[in-house]
Amino acid sequence: MPGAGLGHRLPPRTDHGPWESTHVKGFRDFLTRGNLIDLAVAVVIGTAFTAIVTAIVKDLITPLIGAIWGKSNNFENLTFTLHGSKFAYGDLINAIVTFLIIAAVVYFLIVAPMAKLVLRLHGAREATERDCPECLSSIPIAARRCKYCTVELVSLTAGSVTL
């Protein structure tokens, strides 16, 4: 096909059938977008990880806490009754412990190492702009007058501010 070689793009299709409206095309584009696939994979992995952590909490940590307190090693059975309504606060304790473990794992194994890596790769960057105290617009650090509101500014040296 002429013009379809490397570096050339084909013109957009205009012969949509009656079944392919703008909405259907937009929906198809949404489904095939890379971000949606990445999000679906993250949800599946997160669900599997949550099941593992829930099992660790239920089968290892909860009995350990129960042994320390000298109580039942199953928090699921912890309940109290008020005016005929049964409150299962043991499940809440399991859910809180599970959440704290997941949050700790995400922070210590993902967030903190990535922050260190980014800092190591990029280092501390020096600021090149500051906010005008009068109109709050971004202006160069060395500016003596705001280019937006024309207020006179105290001059700062470029190397004195870091982000």
Side-chain angles (χ1 to χ4, degrees):
M1 182 177 193
L6 294 174
H8 297 286
R9 298 186 73 197
L10 294 173
R13 264 183 62 198
T14 56
D15 61 335
H16 300 297
W19 66 89
E20 190 170 16
S21 69
T22 307
H23 298 294
V24 172
K25 182 181 179 308
F27 183 66
R28 184 190 68 218
D29 292 344
F30 170 72
L31 288 178
T32 58
R33 191 184 310 166
N35 295 346
L36 183 66
I37 303 301
D38 294 342
L39 180 62
V41 169
V43 167
V44 169
I45 297 290
T47 302
F49 180 70
T50 300
I52 291 170
V53 172
T54 301
I56 289 171
V57 169
K58 182 179 176 183
D59 299 332
L60 298 175
I61 294 176
T62 300
L64 181 64
I65 293 172
I68 291 171
W69 283 355
K71 300 271 184 178
S72 168
N73 63 355
N74 189 356
F75 283 175
E76 292 175 1
N77 297 331
L78 297 178
T79 62
F80 70 89
T81 305
L82 181 65
H83 297 292
S85 296
K86 184 177 177 182
F87 294 88
Y89 68 92
D91 286 337
L92 178 62
I93 292 172
N94 281 342
I96 290 171
V97 171
T98 300
F99 170 77
L100 291 174
I101 289 174
I102 291 173
V105 166
V106 167
Y107 179 77
F108 290 113
L109 296 181
I110 298 172
V111 174
M114 285 302 293
K116 287 182 182 177
L117 180 65
V118 168
L119 184 62
R120 188 173 290 155
L121 290 176
H122 298 292
R125 296 179 306 149
E126 286 193 21
T128 58
E129 293 187 339
R130 64 178 169 153
D131 289 339
C132 170
E134 191 68 28
C135 68
L136 302 177
S137 299
S138 293
I139 55 173
I141 286 179
R144 293 181 298 180
R145 186 176 293 273
C146 177
K147 66 181 177 180
Y148 299 105
C149 68
T150 68
V151 69
E152 283 195 43
L153 304 167
V154 176
S155 180
L156 296 175
T157 58
S160 66
V161 178
T162 58
L163 293 176

